[in-house]
Amino acid sequence: MKIVDVDLGGKDISDLPKSHRFYNLINADKLQREHFDNPPLMLVFIYKKLTQKKMEGQSRAAFDISKVVRDHICAIKNPNYKRIKINPLIVGPTGVGKTYSIQLASKIVGLPYVEFKMAQVTPLPIKGNEKLPRSLERLIENTVIDEKVVKENLSILKSLDKIDEDTFNALTQSKEIRQNKEAYNEAYVATQIYLAERGIIFLDEIDKIAYTGKGNEVGTKELVQNELLDYLGGQNIRLDTDFGISKKLSGKEINTSKILFFLAGAFSDIDKISKGEEPTIDDLKKYGIKSELLGRSGEIVFFRPLTKKNYEKIINESVIENDLPLRDLIIAELQNDFPNTHISDSAVKYMATKAEESGLGARYLKSIAGTLSIKVLRNLLYTKGLDCLNDHVNIDEEFLKAVL
C-alpha cells in the first residue's frame, strides 16, 4: 500500500480542525492530538499535506522532509522520543520547490519559521551586510504570541531560569498580566525565545559560501562555514547590537540544539563533479562544503529538475493562490476585463515548454501569470479598442507567442 493511500483515522484532511494548540505552546495548523501520539500517522499527515496538489514531481523529497519534520515535532513533544537529529542539506535547481516545501511544512505543523540567505553573510567580526545571528533574531521576531501564551508558559520559563522569581511573582500575582509592563515585556521576549528555540530555519543559497581553495573570498567563506558549525552543533548563541541586533534582544542568548536547520542551494554545475544523477557527500566536498558541515547536516535531500509534464500538471492542478490552480487563476484575473475567457491546452503546453527552457523552474510560470493579464489587455485595447471588452478571448499557443 502506498503512503498516499493511508487513511487518516477515517477523516479527510479538509475535515480536520482549523487549529490545534501544539504542545500547549503555539498554534499548529489543522492537526489533531492523535497525530502527536502516533508518529506514523503524523508522518502520513505531513506527507499528504505536502503533496496534495503541491510539490509536483518531488514525492521522494516530500517524504524525506516529512520524516525530518515529524521527528522534530515528536522530539519536542516527547523528551523520550528516540531520533538522530539531522539538519538536511537540500540540493536542487532553481524553482523546483525547495523553499516552498519547507515553508509549507512549517505552516502545517505551526512552528516558528524564517528564511535566511547565506550569499551576503560575512563572518564575525568582519563588517558586512549580513550576520548569522540575524537569522536567530528574525526567527524570534517571527514567533508571534499573545498574552495567553505568555501566561501559560510562566512556570516553564521560571523553571528554566529564563525569567527570575521577581518577574514571575509580579505577573502571577497581578489581576491583569500586562499591568506590570516591564515584567510582562521581559516574559514576552523570554517566551518568544523559548518557542523560537524549537523552530525551523531555512538557510538558502548555502552553495554561495562554498570555497575551493582559489580566489580572495576563500578565507571569508571558510570562516562563515566554521561559524555555522556552532549553530548546527547546538551551541548557545549570544545576540549583540554589534551584529545589527535590536536593543530588545541585545544580550539575550538562544540555544540552537533544538532548532531544525535546513541548508539549501542550487549548486550550479555540480553535474560536472558528480558522476551520478544525484550528488554525493564527496561531490559536495569537492564543490567546497566542509566535511564537518556535511557531517552535522547528516542527509542530502535531492529535488529533481521539473519536466514538461510536471509543468503542465503545475499549471492545471497545483494550487498557487486563492486555492486555485495557475490556469484557473489566470482565467479568473482575465475575467475581470474579459468575462468570456478560455485557455486552451496548446497554451498550457506552450507555457510548460517555455518554463522548461527558461531554467527558472516554476518561478517562470508565476512570472507569466503576473504579466499575462496586462499584456493581453494592452494588446487587445490597442488593436480593437474598448469594444474588445465584450469579446470572447481564447488564449492558445499562437496568442501567447504574439503577446509574450
Side-chain angles (χ1 to χ4, degrees):
M1 181 171 61
K2 297 180 181 178
I3 189 169
V4 292
D5 296 326
V6 177
D7 181 50
L8 292 173
K11 292 191 175 185
D12 184 79
I13 288 177
S14 60
D15 295 329
L16 296 178
K18 292 287 184 184
S19 63
H20 167 78
R21 186 161 287 278
F22 168 61
Y23 195 36
N24 294 321
L25 296 176
I26 52 181
N27 287 328
D29 180 33
K30 299 181 181 178
L31 288 173
Q32 297 184 116
R33 188 173 299 278
E34 64 197 65
H35 293 113
F36 297 103
D37 298 331
N38 188 327
L41 191 63
M42 171 70 83
L43 174 62
V44 173
F45 178 85
I46 298 172
Y47 179 81
K48 290 186 76 171
K49 288 290 291 179
L50 281 178
T51 55
Q52 193 175 56
K53 296 185 178 181
K54 301 175 178 74
M55 287 190 70
E56 170 58 31
Q58 309 295 353
S59 58
R60 198 181 79 175
F63 181 87
D64 293 348
I65 290 167
S66 300
K67 167 71 165 57
V68 173
V69 173
R70 186 280 306 268
D71 287 345
H72 181 62
I73 282 271
C74 290
I76 293 172
K77 180 178 183 292
N78 179 8
N80 296 319
Y81 184 81
K82 301 295 188 293
R83 62 142 180 180
I84 299 173
K85 187 179 185 294
I86 59 175
N87 299 288
L89 178 58
I90 301 177
V91 180
T94 297
V96 294
K98 300 187 299 293
T99 305
Y100 176 71
S101 64
I102 307 305
Q103 184 183 60
L104 180 58
S106 302
K107 184 178 180 181
I108 289 168
V109 297
L111 288 176
Y113 169 78
V114 71
E115 297 163 20
F116 190 78
K117 294 189 180 297
M118 296 295 295
Q120 301 301 318
V121 172
T122 52
L124 302 172
I126 299 173
K127 292 183 178 180
N129 296 332
E130 198 67 280
K131 301 294 182 185
L132 265 176
R134 294 291 301 277
S135 66
L136 301 176
E137 178 190 37
R138 290 170 194 169
L139 182 66
I140 295 168
E141 290 173 344
N142 285 357
T143 307
V144 180
I145 57 175
D146 56 25
E147 58 188 79
K148 183 179 180 182
V149 176
V150 174
K151 192 171 184 178
E152 287 174 347
N153 290 285
L154 288 176
S155 295
I156 296 175
L157 296 173
K158 181 175 178 293
S159 68
L160 296 173
D161 293 326
K162 290 185 176 289
I163 58 172
D164 57 32
E165 190 166 346
D166 290 342
T167 300
F168 177 79
N169 291 335
L171 294 175
T172 53
Q173 293 172 10
S174 300
K175 291 183 179 180
E176 171 56 52
I177 190 172
R178 300 178 71 118
Q179 186 175 339
N180 189 321
K181 187 175 181 179
E182 184 177 346
Y184 177 77
N185 288 341
E186 182 182 343
Y188 186 93
V189 172
T191 306
Q192 280 187 305
I193 293 174
Y194 176 62
L195 299 180
E197 287 176 335
R198 287 140 183 85
I200 296 176
I201 295 181
F202 183 83
L203 298 175
D204 199 8
E205 299 180 339
I206 200 75
D207 50 324
K208 299 299 191 295
I209 61 168
Y211 66 96
T212 56
K214 300 177 182 179
N216 296 328
E217 293 185 340
V218 170
T220 300
K221 291 180 177 181
E222 183 178 10
L223 288 173
V224 173
Q225 289 196 38
N226 288 339
E227 192 177 331
L228 185 55
L229 288 173
D230 289 339
Y231 287 66
L232 302 187
Q235 299 297 313
N236 287 325
I237 306 297
R238 181 180 172 86
L239 305 178
D240 197 289
T241 51
D242 290 344
F243 313 149
I245 301 297
S246 65
K247 290 184 179 180
K248 180 182 75 170
L249 294 175
S250 181
K252 304 293 184 182
E253 281 195 349
I254 179 168
N255 183 273
T256 60
S257 62
K258 290 186 174 68
I259 295 174
L260 175 58
F261 292 91
F262 283 94
L263 289 61
F267 290 88
S268 302
D269 298 327
I270 197 169
D271 55 320
K272 296 178 181 178
I273 299 173
S274 178
K275 295 180 180 179
E277 182 183 357
E278 301 180 16
T280 64
I281 293 290
D282 286 339
D283 296 332
L284 292 168
K285 285 166 61 177
K286 292 175 184 176
Y287 196 91
I289 303 298
K290 290 173 70 74
S291 299
E292 298 90 335
L293 199 59
L294 292 168
R296 294 189 184 181
S297 172
E299 181 183 1
I300 300 174
V301 177
F302 183 68
F303 275 66
R304 300 178 181 280
L306 296 172
T307 66
K308 182 180 175 182
K309 287 187 176 180
N310 292 144
Y311 287 118
E312 288 179 18
K313 199 167 182 181
I314 289 171
I315 295 168
N316 288 322
E317 298 180 19
S318 293
V319 174
I320 306 296
E321 295 177 17
N322 301 316
D323 295 324
L324 291 173
L326 187 60
R327 185 176 189 167
D328 293 344
L329 188 61
I330 294 172
I331 291 173
E333 183 170 358
L334 286 169
Q335 284 177 338
N336 291 327
D337 297 299
F338 308 102
N340 300 309
T341 300
H342 173 72
I343 296 179
S344 71
D345 290 341
S346 69
V348 171
K349 292 180 184 298
Y350 178 75
M351 287 189 284
T353 300
K354 297 298 287 184
E356 188 177 33
E357 293 173 351
S358 72
L360 298 176
R363 289 191 180 96
Y364 181 82
L365 295 177
K366 197 164 185 180
S367 174
I368 289 178
T371 61
L372 188 57
S373 63
I374 295 174
K375 292 183 177 181
V376 169
L377 180 60
R378 185 175 61 208
N379 179 274
L380 292 176
L381 282 175
Y382 281 1
T383 56
K384 295 186 176 183
L386 291 176
D387 291 340
C388 74
L389 297 179
N390 294 317
D391 284 358
H392 175 83
V393 177
N394 180 43
I395 298 176
D396 57 15
E397 180 179 353
E398 295 304 316
F399 188 95
L400 289 179
K401 286 179 178 178
V403 300
L404 290 179

